[in-house]
Amino acid sequence: MTPTLTTPHTTPAAPDLAPREQETLRHIAAGHTYLQTARHMGLSKHTVDAYLRRIRAKLNVNNTAEMTRIAITLGL
Protein backbone atom coordinates (compact mmCIF):
# COMPACT_ATOMS: atom_id res chain seq x y z
CA MET A 1 0.00 0.00 0.00
CA THR A 2 1.39 3.38 -1.02
CA PRO A 3 0.58 6.38 1.18
CA THR A 4 -1.13 9.21 -0.61
CA LEU A 5 -0.43 12.79 0.24
CA THR A 6 -3.35 15.15 0.06
CA THR A 7 -3.67 18.77 0.94
CA PRO A 8 -6.35 19.32 3.56
CA HIS A 9 -7.56 22.61 2.14
CA THR A 10 -6.54 24.72 -0.79
CA THR A 11 -7.42 28.37 -1.07
CA PRO A 12 -8.54 29.49 -4.48
CA ALA A 13 -6.58 32.30 -6.04
CA ALA A 14 -8.18 35.57 -5.01
CA PRO A 15 -9.66 37.68 -7.75
CA ASP A 16 -8.17 41.09 -8.24
CA LEU A 17 -9.13 43.27 -5.32
CA ALA A 18 -8.90 47.03 -5.72
CA PRO A 19 -6.23 48.67 -3.54
CA ARG A 20 -8.88 50.18 -1.24
CA GLU A 21 -10.58 46.80 -0.94
CA GLN A 22 -7.25 45.24 0.03
CA GLU A 23 -6.67 47.96 2.62
CA THR A 24 -10.18 47.45 4.01
CA LEU A 25 -9.64 43.71 4.19
CA ARG A 26 -6.33 44.21 6.03
CA HIS A 27 -8.02 46.35 8.67
CA ILE A 28 -10.92 43.96 9.20
CA ALA A 29 -8.58 40.94 9.30
CA ALA A 30 -6.53 42.77 11.95
CA GLY A 31 -9.65 42.89 14.14
CA HIS A 32 -10.70 46.50 13.58
CA THR A 33 -14.38 47.41 13.56
CA TYR A 34 -16.11 48.97 10.57
CA LEU A 35 -16.04 52.34 12.34
CA GLN A 36 -12.33 52.09 13.21
CA THR A 37 -11.55 51.09 9.64
CA ALA A 38 -13.65 53.94 8.27
CA ARG A 39 -11.96 56.52 10.49
CA HIS A 40 -8.47 55.28 9.61
CA MET A 41 -9.22 55.28 5.88
CA GLY A 42 -11.14 58.57 5.91
CA LEU A 43 -14.39 56.95 4.78
CA SER A 44 -17.90 56.52 6.12
CA LYS A 45 -18.77 53.20 7.73
CA HIS A 46 -21.30 52.70 4.93
CA THR A 47 -18.50 52.86 2.35
CA VAL A 48 -16.51 50.30 4.35
CA ASP A 49 -19.61 48.09 4.42
CA ALA A 50 -19.94 48.44 0.63
CA TYR A 51 -16.27 47.49 0.14
CA LEU A 52 -16.72 44.43 2.35
CA ARG A 53 -19.84 43.34 0.45
CA ARG A 54 -17.82 43.51 -2.79
CA ILE A 55 -14.92 41.62 -1.21
CA ARG A 56 -17.26 38.88 0.02
CA ALA A 57 -18.75 38.57 -3.47
CA LYS A 58 -15.32 38.43 -5.15
CA LEU A 59 -13.97 35.89 -2.65
CA ASN A 60 -17.24 33.96 -2.52
CA VAL A 61 -17.38 33.97 1.28
CA ASN A 62 -20.24 34.64 3.68
CA ASN A 63 -18.67 35.87 6.88
CA THR A 64 -15.80 37.80 8.40
CA ALA A 65 -14.04 34.69 9.70
CA GLU A 66 -13.71 33.27 6.19
CA MET A 67 -12.56 36.64 4.87
CA THR A 68 -9.95 36.87 7.62
CA ARG A 69 -8.65 33.37 6.88
CA ILE A 70 -8.22 34.24 3.22
CA ALA A 71 -6.55 37.56 4.07
CA ILE A 72 -4.02 35.74 6.24
CA THR A 73 -3.42 33.14 3.54
CA LEU A 74 -2.83 35.91 1.00
CA GLY A 75 -0.44 37.68 3.33
CA LEU A 76 -2.55 40.78 3.73
Side-chain angles (χ1 to χ4, degrees), residues 11 14 16 18 22-26 28 44 53 57 66 69:
T11 303
D16 291 327
Q22 289 179 19
E23 184 179 357
T24 303
L25 182 55
R26 267 195 303 276
I28 297 302
S44 76
R53 279 195 310 269
E66 289 178 279
R69 181 189 55 79

Side-chain angles (χ1 to χ4, degrees), residues 46-67:
H46 299 290
T47 303
V48 170
D49 183 52
Y51 282 156
L52 292 172
R53 279 195 310 269
R54 281 188 277 185
I55 293 166
R56 283 187 190 101
K58 288 180 180 182
L59 298 179
N60 195 30
V61 298
N62 297 317
N63 59 50
T64 303
E66 289 178 279
M67 252 189 338

